[in-house]
Amino acid sequence: LTPVISVKSNSGIGSSDSAIDVVKNITLMQDAVEVVCGDCLFTYEVTKTAVVTGLSPLEITTATTLTIDGTLLCPGGSGTTVMVGETTCSIQTCTNAQITCDLDELIGGTYDVVISMSNGNANIPDDLDSISSVFQISSVVPVVGSIYGGTVITSTSFNSATVL
């Protein structure tokens, strides 16, 4: 089993909601056993945290290019990944101020957006942390059937899904 390492707040040292650096203890969890390293501290540095200020589009119907604006998005020029749900958005350009990436079609639904870089994940505001893929029907076969039912209708969506 892979141990889970979590970072827990030290009382009185800082708050994760503040704009200051925060020092935390390192905690190791494995098989419901928690071990805290009292001398192992981790400091969140605000100046090293990527922040997303814009994401477009927020609603898609087909494969598209996403544009993500912010700060510190591509530290060192590489190593950044963008995930939309379980789908990797293929990065085309990546600077500290903007990422463009190509996103394949997604079936209808809402998908979380996660931007990761070598020093951690980006801070994404709640109103920009997901993308909706709109389910749209593009065709129905057959177009005529019995008024009393029994006709199987097949529809095809723009999102590569077939519904029977």
Side-chain angles (χ1 to χ4, degrees):
L1 295 172
T2 303
V4 176
I5 297 175
S6 64
V7 182
K8 294 196 173 181
S9 178
N10 293 336
S11 58
I13 295 183
S15 165
S16 60
D17 295 331
S18 66
I20 61 171
D21 296 344
V22 181
V23 178
K24 307 278 186 158
N25 276 83
I26 302 296
T27 302
L28 177 66
M29 285 280 297
Q30 185 170 7
D31 299 328
V33 176
E34 181 176 291
V35 178
V36 177
C37 179
D39 295 332
C40 305
L41 297 177
F42 178 85
T43 303
Y44 290 105
E45 293 187 24
V46 174
T47 60
K48 295 186 187 228
T49 303
V51 177
V52 173
T53 58
L55 173 64
S56 66
L58 292 173
E59 188 174 277
I60 65 172
T61 56
T62 187
T64 191
T65 298
L66 295 182
T67 301
I68 303 160
D69 295 310
T71 58
L72 302 173
L73 296 174
C74 203
S78 66
T80 298
T81 59
V82 177
M83 298 295 295
V84 179
E86 299 293 319
T87 303
T88 301
C89 193
S90 178
I91 294 178
Q92 300 305 308
T93 61
C94 190
T95 68
N96 279 332
Q98 188 175 77
I99 298 170
T100 59
C101 61
D102 293 335
L103 181 63
D104 291 336
E105 289 184 13
L106 301 170
I107 60 171
T110 300
Y111 298 88
D112 291 334
V113 176
V114 177
I115 303 167
S116 302
M117 51 280 303
S118 60
N119 65 342
N121 291 346
N123 178 2
I124 305 175
D126 290 344
D127 61 335
L128 300 174
D129 69 352
S130 64
I131 291 176
S132 295
S133 178
V134 179
F135 182 76
Q136 294 183 335
I137 296 174
S138 59
S139 65
V140 176
V141 177
V143 295
V144 177
S146 167
I147 194 170
Y148 293 103
T151 304
V152 175
I153 297 175
T154 302
S155 66
T156 305
S157 77
F158 287 115
N159 308 82
S160 301
T162 299
V163 180
L164 297 177

